Amino acid sequence: MPGKIGDRDVQEIVEKYRKEIEKELGAKIYTPKAVSREYQQFRREVMPRHLTIYENLCNFSEKILRISNKSGEKELLENIRISHLKITPSGAISFAILFPVAIMLAGILISFLLFQSSFFVLFFLVMGLSMMAVFMKLPDYVANKWRLKASNQMVLCIFYVVTYMRHTSNLENAIEFAADHLAPPLSIDLKKVLWDIETEKYESVKESLDIYLNTWKKWNFEFIEAFHLIEGSLYEGSEERRLNSLDKSLDVILSETYEKMLHYSHNLQSPITMLHMLGIILPILGLVILPMVVSFLEEVKWYQIAVIYNIALPITVFYLGKSILSKRPTGYGQTDISEENPELKKYKNIIWEIGNKEIQINPVFFSVGVGVILLLIGLLPVIMHQLNLPDIGFGSVEAGSACGKKHCLMGYRQSAVTGEIIGPFGLGAAVLSLSVTLALGLGLGIFYRLRSKNVIGIRKRAVQLELEFASGLFQLGNRLGDGLPAEIAFGKVANVMEGTISGSFFDLVSNNITRLGMSIKQAIFDPANGAMIKFPSSLIESSMKVLVESVKKGPKIAAQALINVSRYIKEIHSVNERLKDLMGDIVSDMDSQIKFLTPAIAGIVVGITSMVSGILGKLGQQLKEITSQGPASQAGLISLFGDGIATYYFQIIIGVYVIQITYILTTMVNGIENGSDNLNEKFMLGTNLIRTSIMYCAISAIVMIMFNVIASNILTNTF
């Protein structure tokens, strides 16, 4: 149609006037990138697989039976939106009801068919109702976890935004700059802010940002306050007041973060004490009387104790621990640098260099190999019994013994109640059962240790570099302030800081400029020879990008920008160290519980339990012989004693519980001290699981052998 303006004509007109406006204003107009696809792809990459499964289950449950709750829908919808879950409140409620009901019915059916036990019927009923309550809170739990992880990055977020806006007063670009240098989940939140602008959901970045900040009103008001100061800097009449407003924003979030952590540390003692009593003291004290209980109550079976100690108790302690962590104030913490830099993910594997070749091996192969070997050793008494292999004895010759020796490896015997063959009750079997505990503890420990060792080593070097780098940036800023070109200033700083990690960074940049003829940007960021390749740090990368951009505006501006970045880094490090000092006593107490008290007490209790079980078992056998030879009126004495529970199964239950409680307490210690730091959590788990399992097994073996020898001598002299 004649006279109709096409899309191409419109674009040409827009582009023409955009260039005219840029010419008049002397500044480049921000054009939003098409980040909608980027956000969607980013979300798919960072969302954990288990959350995707949860989304599918919720959506499937909603199709089967749609259940809604109008009263709590608003809060539920907020948690779903914060977690970036693609579900509806009705889907979450439907899953929270339908899935536990299905588990409950299946469990009850299996209980009747296999166990024919009312205990398991009751267990599945309680478990189903508990699962309903937990699943109802699952979006809240996911949102809290998201908040905790995001809160670790808030100080750095404000740092990146302030650092960028000191030399370029553009909020949109500053948010994009922060999103590029932060790891998930806060990076995905910032990308969502820009995405909402691009999709025209909101008209301006301020509107989109304010809507997002409103979600943190109940959790981190200082984060909102800091961003409002940043927004306010855009309207300041002078450059000095603009910069002061930016500096104030970082001071606000640092000071208020410290104050909130101070109150949290003061209120933490009581919940931690409750966790210690419920998770360690009471369960272990209960183990002391259990041998006598099961000896007089034949209805109590080992698998029932396993359900209580290895399922019910760990879940309760885990839930209590997560409740304590959910109240942790948002603050500053470390992130997994392999998430920020995908090139570092290879260091999660075991790397062997053979010649010019690099072989990567997943640690899971080592952990599974160790676990399987130890598990087979631990199951040896059961395997030998199933294969009808003869028992192995050790110690002095004893005619009445099943194996002809004082101590039998397996120690299977005839039940005094049912007449069936039960066991293994032998000391050797009890000692071998420790291999089952080692299989779990060492298997998991080796995996976590090898999975995190290389990456955490890289991060420690990066953190050390960041601390040194603050001084280097200060010197570089001074050299630029003296009027030296940036190309020469790098060499001057490198000479002064020779022998340090940051000195080698500046030296590498200087060599790239002088010997390879690179520009400053190429010398730092070149994908083949740039200095950033050997120094993976988002904070350093962002500082260098600020340098590259500010140098374009003159050496004086670049000098002031670097000096301020140096000051920011020092302030962040200082507050972070003060936060760790606040938690020092609590973390130290919990650490001693994990590394020494729990395995030591549990090991001693296992030894005592083994002795008590051995004495009661021997008494039962002696009473059987006495009543068989005596009058019929004495026959009822045998009914006082049941068969008891073999130390073999008893130890496995306790050993597994020790591993479970070590896992839970370790995550607690890391969460209290570092927030959501998955990398450090894995490293701590690897260290603690290996140490705890070895200590527990060593103490248990020594105490079991010692106490059983004592008990054997007492019984020999008595009877």
Side-chain angles (χ1 to χ4, degrees):
M1 186 181 292
K4 183 178 179 180
I5 301 177
D7 292 339
R8 185 173 179 180
D9 296 323
V10 172
Q11 291 295 327
E12 289 178 354
I13 294 171
V14 171
E15 183 67 16
K16 175 183 176 182
Y17 281 99
R18 186 180 67 82
K19 290 180 178 178
E20 290 293 328
I21 294 172
E22 287 180 353
K23 185 177 179 182
E24 290 292 327
L25 296 177
K28 194 172 183 178
I29 296 177
Y30 172 72
T31 305
K33 296 181 179 180
V35 297
S36 58
R37 185 180 301 173
E38 179 187 355
Y39 165 71
Q40 296 290 0
Q41 182 180 355
F42 192 72
R43 182 194 174 278
R44 287 194 297 269
E45 291 175 353
V46 302
M47 290 297 285
R49 182 171 176 79
H50 64 271
L51 288 184
T52 304
I53 296 173
Y54 173 67
E55 290 175 341
N56 295 333
L57 289 173
C58 288
N59 296 328
F60 178 74
S61 300
E62 189 177 13
K63 293 177 182 178
I64 297 176
L65 180 64
R66 184 181 178 90
I67 306 173
S68 60
N69 181 15
K70 297 295 183 183
S71 60
E73 189 170 310
K74 184 178 179 181
E75 183 180 357
L76 190 57
L77 187 62
E78 182 184 359
N79 290 327
I80 291 171
R81 185 164 59 85
I82 290 172
S83 308
H84 297 266
L85 294 171
K86 288 187 174 181
I87 61 174
T88 63
S90 299
I93 297 173
S94 299
F95 169 74
I97 293 176
L98 291 179
F99 187 75
V101 169
I103 295 292
M104 199 187 307
L105 295 175
I108 292 173
L109 181 62
I110 293 172
S111 299
F112 276 119
L113 294 177
L114 296 181
F115 300 103
Q116 296 168 353
S117 171
S118 58
F119 173 82
F120 283 103
V121 173
L122 180 62
F123 170 75
F124 280 108
L125 282 173
V126 174
M127 188 179 72
L129 295 173
S130 301
M131 288 176 66
M132 284 185 188
V134 172
F135 286 169
M136 283 290 186
K137 291 288 185 180
L138 199 56
D140 182 58
Y141 166 74
V142 175
N144 282 333
K145 188 176 181 180
W146 189 280
R147 291 188 191 99
L148 186 63
K149 193 171 183 179
S151 69
N152 272 27
Q153 306 164 309
M154 285 182 173
V155 173
L156 282 179
C157 176
I158 299 299
F159 165 76
Y160 290 137
V161 173
V162 169
T163 299
Y164 187 91
M165 289 194 64
R166 283 195 69 92
H167 67 85
T168 303
S169 187
N170 187 305
L171 184 59
E172 297 93 335
N173 289 349
I175 292 175
E176 186 180 359
F177 180 78
D180 290 339
H181 289 88
L182 290 170
L186 196 55
S187 56
I188 193 173
D189 286 351
L190 297 180
K191 288 180 183 290
K192 181 69 164 54
V193 170
L194 298 176
W195 182 67
D196 287 340
I197 304 169
E198 200 279 329
T199 56
E200 299 182 354
K201 183 177 181 178
Y202 304 114
E203 294 182 355
S204 65
V205 67
K206 186 180 184 305
E207 183 182 2
S208 181
L209 181 62
D210 288 344
I211 294 295
Y212 165 67
L213 291 175
N214 194 51
T215 62
W216 290 98
K217 186 175 292 183
K218 294 190 302 182
W219 310 97
N220 197 322
F221 190 76
E222 58 268 24
F223 183 59
I224 302 174
E225 189 178 355
F227 253 117
H228 284 168
L229 286 167
I230 292 171
E231 291 176 342
S233 71
L234 297 169
Y235 307 102
E236 295 293 348
S238 67
E239 182 70 6
E240 182 181 358
R241 291 172 61 183
R242 186 183 76 85
L243 296 179
N244 287 337
S245 183
L246 292 175
D247 292 340
K248 180 66 175 177
S249 67
L250 188 61
D251 292 337
V252 163
I253 194 169
L254 286 173
S255 60
E256 294 192 19
T257 295
Y258 178 78
E259 289 179 7
K260 291 174 71 173
M261 289 295 289
L262 180 63
H263 296 307
Y264 178 67
S265 64
H266 289 165
N267 298 328
L268 199 59
Q269 194 63 49
S270 180
I272 291 295
T273 303
M274 185 186 301
L275 183 72
H276 176 66
M277 293 295 296
L278 181 62
I280 299 175
I281 302 300
L282 293 179
I284 290 177
L285 289 177
L287 294 173
V288 178
I289 63 171
L290 272 177
M292 292 180 285
V293 172
V294 298
S295 295
F296 292 102
L297 297 175
E298 62 184 58
E299 296 84 5
V300 181
K301 307 297 182 184
W302 67 267
Y303 49 80
Q304 295 173 342
I305 298 175
V307 167
I308 295 172
Y309 271 84
N310 299 137
I311 298 178
L313 264 176
I315 291 175
T316 304
V317 176
F318 179 80
Y319 183 78
L320 180 60
K322 287 298 180 181
S323 300
I324 295 172
L325 283 179
S326 66
K327 297 179 176 68
R328 183 186 188 271
T330 53
Y332 175 73
Q334 297 287 342
T335 57
D336 189 347
I337 59 174
S338 63
E339 295 179 358
E340 301 172 0
N341 189 350
E343 294 181 1
L344 297 178
K345 287 186 177 181
K346 70 175 185 179
Y347 292 104
K348 290 184 176 181
N349 300 318
I350 301 170
I351 300 176
W352 287 344
E353 294 184 0
I354 303 176
N356 296 326
K357 293 184 178 181
E358 190 177 78
I359 301 175
Q360 300 179 26
I361 303 174
N362 196 316
V364 72
F365 295 112
F366 284 89
S367 62
V368 170
V370 172
V372 169
I373 293 171
L374 289 171
L375 184 62
L376 289 174
I377 296 173
L379 296 177
L380 193 60
V382 178
I383 296 172
M384 290 178 63
H385 178 67
Q386 292 297 322
L387 297 175
N388 293 319
L389 297 176
D391 202 347
I392 300 173
F394 52 95
S396 60
V397 178
E398 189 170 308
S401 174
C403 59
K405 299 285 186 174
K406 190 173 185 176
H407 300 290
C408 300
L409 176 66
M410 296 186 292
Y412 283 91
R413 66 184 186 219
Q414 189 177 19
S415 171
V417 181
T418 63
E420 299 176 350
I421 301 299
I422 58 173
F425 289 90
L427 176 62
V431 174
L432 285 176
S433 70
L434 294 169
S435 293
V436 178
T437 303
L438 283 174
L440 180 62
L442 290 184
L444 288 174
I446 289 172
F447 173 76
Y448 284 125
R449 180 81 177 186
L450 295 178
R451 195 72 170 166
S452 60
K453 182 180 178 182
N454 293 333
V455 183
I456 204 153
I458 295 172
R459 190 175 76 174
K460 285 180 178 179
R461 290 193 295 273
V463 171
Q464 183 62 36
L465 174 61
E466 290 170 1
L467 296 178
E468 294 182 5
F469 203 72
S471 300
L473 285 179
F474 183 79
Q475 294 186 52
L476 185 63
N478 285 337
R479 299 292 80 78
L480 293 174
D482 294 337
L484 287 177
E487 293 82 357
I488 299 175
F490 273 102
K492 295 288 186 183
V493 177
N495 291 333
V496 174
M497 302 190 70
E498 186 178 0
T500 64
I501 301 175
S502 54
S504 59
F505 175 86
F506 290 111
D507 185 60
L508 184 56
V509 175
S510 180
N511 286 335
N512 286 344
I513 295 173
T514 56
R515 296 182 182 180
L516 300 180
M518 294 181 173
S519 64
I520 296 176
K521 186 176 182 179
Q522 290 175 325
I524 300 172
F525 299 107
D526 185 79
N529 300 304
M532 287 306 307
I533 297 176
K534 297 183 179 180
F535 300 90
S537 168
S538 297
L539 192 144
I540 294 173
E541 182 185 0
S542 62
S543 302
M544 291 296 97
K545 284 184 178 179
V546 168
L547 169 65
V548 172
E549 292 297 320
S550 58
V551 163
K552 299 176 183 177
K553 299 184 178 183
K556 295 292 184 183
I557 295 177
Q560 192 59 45
L562 292 181
I563 290 172
N564 281 283
V565 169
S566 170
R567 178 169 61 84
Y568 294 157
I569 294 174
K570 288 288 188 182
E571 288 177 356
I572 291 173
H573 174 69
S574 176
V575 172
N576 191 37
E577 290 300 311
R578 289 168 65 192
L579 292 176
K580 288 184 178 181
D581 288 340
L582 286 177
M583 301 297 174
D585 292 340
I586 295 172
V587 169
S588 178
D589 291 341
M590 294 186 68
D591 206 42
S592 65
Q593 293 172 17
I594 297 169
K595 294 178 179 178
F596 179 73
L597 290 178
T598 301
I601 295 174
I604 294 171
V605 168
V606 167
I608 296 172
T609 300
S610 176
M611 180 184 69
V612 173
S613 298
I615 292 174
L616 292 176
K618 190 71 173 177
L619 285 174
Q621 292 179 345
Q622 294 293 333
L623 282 174
K624 184 178 179 181
E625 294 177 2
I626 293 171
T627 53
S628 64
Q629 300 172 2
S633 59
Q634 296 179 356
L637 288 173
I638 190 65
S639 62
L640 292 174
F641 289 89
D643 295 321
I645 296 178
T647 306
Y648 178 87
Y649 298 112
F650 203 81
Q651 188 287 129
I652 292 176
I653 295 170
I654 299 174
V656 171
Y657 182 72
V658 169
I659 300 300
Q660 290 173 316
I661 205 68
T662 299
Y663 188 102
I664 295 170
L665 290 180
T666 300
T667 58
M668 279 285 299
V669 170
N670 178 74
I672 290 172
E673 187 176 21
N674 305 306
S676 183
D677 187 351
N678 292 330
L679 179 60
N680 194 70
E681 179 180 291
K682 291 175 183 172
F683 186 75
M684 289 178 64
L685 282 172
T687 303
N688 290 341
L689 286 173
I690 293 173
R691 181 180 298 170
T692 299
S693 57
I694 291 175
M695 179 178 289
Y696 163 77
C697 290
I699 294 174
S700 297
I702 294 171
V703 176
M704 273 196 294
I705 294 172
M706 183 176 65
F707 279 21
N708 272 274
V709 170
I710 295 172
S712 180
N713 292 330
I714 293 172
L715 291 171
T716 301
N717 295 329
T718 304
F719 296 98

